[in-house]
Structure formats: structure tokens, C-alpha cells
Amino acid sequence: MRLCAWYLYGEKHRGYALNPVANFHLQNGSVLWRINWMGDTSPRGLGASCGMMVNYRYFLEETASNSALYLGSKQVRASEQVLALVSQFQQNSKL
């Protein structure tokens, strides 16, 4: 889950999220909200994402500012759960 959080939050292509689905939601002003262990146990989900599923949350009053922050400054808004996983990854990673 830590690696997944880092992939979605920290891995970039030209400064934007490497994952195309993450990039889509973040451009539209969402918050990277939750990573669900074994959230998709279908054969496709297990093969494509090791069964993990991600929730993006839209706070309607914040979508415009979140989108502008992402597109202008390339900053990802994320929940405490995701940020904690990112922090754990950074502490334990040798990257």
C-alpha cells in the first residue's frame, strides 16, 4: 500500500501524476482520498493493481482551487491516510 501511495502521489511525468487515472481526477480537482487493500478482487483487478482500489473524493467547493493548484503548481491534494502511507514509503525506501 505504501508503494501504491507513492506511485499515485509521487511518481511524475513532466511534473504531473504518472498514472493516467490519477492525473484525470487530479486535473478535475479531486483529492487522492483512500487506498483500499483488496478493493478489487476480480481477475482483472488482481492483475492490473494487485487488487488495490483507489478513491478520489470531490469536495465541490474546493474542486476549482484543487484543480488550479495541480495544474499550476503540480501539487497533489491527498488525505491523511495517503500522506501517512507516502511518509512511511519515504522513510523505508532506498530510492
Side-chain angles (χ1 to χ4, degrees):
M1 287 189 51
R2 293 184 300 255
L3 181 59
C4 179
W6 176 252
Y7 170 67
L8 296 169
Y9 181 84
E11 290 297 320
K12 308 289 186 192
H13 175 70
R14 296 185 180 159
Y16 298 107
L18 182 61
N19 180 275
V21 174
N23 191 50
F24 170 82
H25 286 289
L26 295 168
Q27 283 183 37
N28 287 302
S30 73
V31 175
L32 180 53
W33 191 250
R34 185 179 327 156
I35 299 172
N36 304 292
W37 175 254
M38 299 307 279
D40 184 356
T41 57
S42 70
R44 183 171 184 242
L46 290 170
S49 63
C50 299
M52 286 186 247
M53 184 178 284
V54 179
N55 297 116
Y56 296 91
R57 188 164 178 188
Y58 288 86
F59 295 96
L60 296 181
E61 64 281 351
E62 298 175 10
T63 55
S65 61
N66 289 347
S67 178
L69 183 69
Y70 181 68
L71 293 171
S73 303
K74 301 174 181 169
Q75 293 181 32
V76 174
R77 291 274 329 270
S79 70
E80 290 297 321
Q81 185 237 20
V82 173
L83 293 175
L85 290 167
V86 167
S87 177
Q88 291 169 18
F89 173 82
Q90 290 174 320
Q91 290 172 0
N92 298 311
S93 173
K94 296 184 190 220
L95 295 179

